[in-house]
Amino acid sequence: MNTKRSRMSAEDRRTAILDVATDLLSTHPWEEVTVALLLDAAGISKGGFYHHFTSKDDVLAAVLLRLTEASNSAGQAVYERSEGGAAARFTAYLGGTTRWELEHADKIMGVIRIAMMAGNEAIFLKLEQEARRRATPLMRTLVEEGVREGIFDVIDVDMTVDLLQHAWRMRWVVFAQARQRCATGDLAGGEAMLGERLRLEERMTNRLLGCDAATPVLMPAVGEFLGFLQAP
Amino acid sequence: MNTKRSRMSAEDRRTAILDVATDLLSTHPWEEVTVALLLDAAGISKGGFYHHFTSKDDVLAAVLLRLTEASNSAGQAVYERSEGGAAARFTAYLGGTTRWELEHADKIMGVIRIAMMAGNEAIFLKLEQEARRRATPLMRTLVEEGVREGIFDVIDVDMTVDLLQHAWRMRWVVFAQARQRCATGDLAGGEAMLGERLRLEERMTNRLLGCDAATPVLMPAVGEFLGFLQAP
DNA sequence: CTTGATTACCGACCGACCGTCGGTATGTAA
DNA sequence: TTACATACCGACGGTCGGTCGGTAATCAAG
C-alpha cells in the first residue's frame, strides 16, 4: 500500500497504536485482534510495533491500564471532602462517584462496549476486579464507620460491600439502554427507566446496610442525569 | 513411544479424551493445553482426535457440559417434593441442593480447581453463568410465591435472586478451606469455620428475602457436613 | 559540515500451533 | 468373500505471535 511512513516520537506512536487497539477491541474479541490487523490499522511494520511493545498482551495491558487509570484518584477525593453522619457520607460517596462517572460517560460506555464483546469475558472480569479492588477499601471504611456510629446494621462488612458492588454492577447497562431510548425520541420513557433503576438500587443499598429508615442513604436524583441522557 | 494403539468404541474414546482433557485443565490454563499435549496424554493421533472432535474448543465445550450436566435435574426434584409455607419450601430447597452438592463434593472441588486456574477466567465465568441459568427459574418461583404468601418482602425479585446467588458463590471456597483445616488436624477449627459461613449466609438470605423473623429460612445444620469435612 | 551514537522503523524469517487430508487398519453385515 | 462403515494415522498447509539483522532519520559534539 504505502511505502512512505512517518517517523513519530516514541510516545506519540505508542498512543497511536493504543488508540487503534482500543478501537479494534470494541469491535472484535481480543483473540481475533491479530497483530497483523493491528499493524495494518496502525500503519506500522511488525518490527516497528515490537520496538514499542514487548508482546500482543503488552498492548492489551496498556489499553486496560489507560482505560482505568484516570479514575484512580476520583473516589478518594470525594470521601475526604464529605461531612456529616455516616449515611450522609455514604450519600456523598454515591453522588460523588456517580457524578464523576457521568463526566466520563463516553469513556465508560466505550469500556462497556469492549467488555460486552463476545469473547472478551476475561477482560471484563479483569476490569471489574480492578474497579472493585480500587473501591473496596473506601467502602469498607464507610460501612465500618456507619456501624460504629450505630447508623448501619450490617450482617457482615465484607459480604455487604461485595453485594453492594454487585448490586450496582448493571447500572451502566441500564443507563446505556435508557440513553438509547431517549435517542429514539422516547425521552420520558428513558428517564423513567433510569429513575426506576436508581430507586431500586437505593432501596437495596439501604436494606443491605441495614440503614436506619430515618436517615437513609440516597442515590443521586434523576435530574442530574438529564444531560447524559440527551447526549448523542 | 508406542506404535501399537488400541481401537475403542467412539464413546469410550471420547470419554477417555475428555477425562484426559479434564485432568490437564486442572493443572494448566486452557490456552496452554496444546492439542499435541492432549494427543500425547490421551495416546491418540491427531487424525484420530479430530475424528471425534471438530476442534480444540469443541473439547472444552464437551468437558464443561459433562461437568455441569449431572446436576441438571437435581434442583427441580427437590422442589417438587417440598411442602409447607414459602419459607419452609425455601429451606427445603437450600437443604436439598446443598445435600446434593455434598454428595458430589469431589466433582465440585475438581471444577473449582479448574475454574481457579489462572488463565481460566473465561471458563469460570461460563460455568457460573450456566449454573445460574439453571437455578434461576426455580429460585424466581420460590421467591415470587413467598411474596404472594406475604412471607417474603423483597425489593425486586430479579435483583434479589441475583444477589442471593452471588452471596452463595464463595461457599465452596470456604468449604474447601475448612476441609483443608480439618485435614491438618484442627477439626474443631474447620467445623467452626464452616458453621460461621453457614450462619452468615443464612442471615444474609433472610435479609435479602425480607423474611418474617417468625418463620425464617434456614441453612442446613453443620452436622450434615461432618462426613464431608473428614473426607480426604 | 562531518562524524558517531541513538533510535524509530522495516520486512524476511522462525517455530509453534490448529486443523486438514489422503490413506490404512479394523471391524461388521450380507 | 465382498462391500461398506469407521476408528485411526501422521505428513502437510496456513496462520499466528515474535525475532533479528539491517536501514534511515535525528541529534549532539567536534
Side-chain angles (χ1 to χ4, degrees), chain B residues 5-8 13 45 47 51-52:
Chain B
R5 281 169 179 170
S6 62
R7 182 190 172 96
M8 300 176 156
R13 182 60 84 183
S45 72
H51 177 70
H52 297 288

Side-chain angles (χ1 to χ4, degrees), chain A residues 62-73:
Chain A
V63 167
L64 296 186
L65 182 66
R66 210 175 56 155
L67 285 173
T68 56
E69 70 185 352
S71 64
N72 262 331
S73 53

Side-chain angles (χ1 to χ4, degrees), chain A residues 182-205:
Chain A
C182 288
T184 65
D186 186 9
L187 208 141
E191 206 176 318
M193 192 173 180
L194 193 148
E196 211 167 311
R197 175 71 195 181
L198 287 174
R199 219 163 39 244
L200 175 59
E201 286 190 19
E202 184 177 292
R203 293 178 63 203
M204 187 58 85
T205 301

Side-chain angles (χ1 to χ4, degrees), chain B residues 105-135:
Chain B
D106 289 333
K107 199 169 193 176
I108 292 176
M109 303 299 254
V111 175
I112 290 183
R113 238 199 357 267
I114 290 178
M116 286 299 174
M117 260 310 298
N120 281 352
E121 293 86 0
I123 295 179
F124 179 79
L125 224 65
K126 260 189 198 165
L127 279 172
E128 202 193 349
Q129 278 176 357
E130 173 63 19
R132 287 203 183 192
R133 200 189 56 70
R134 230 172 31 232

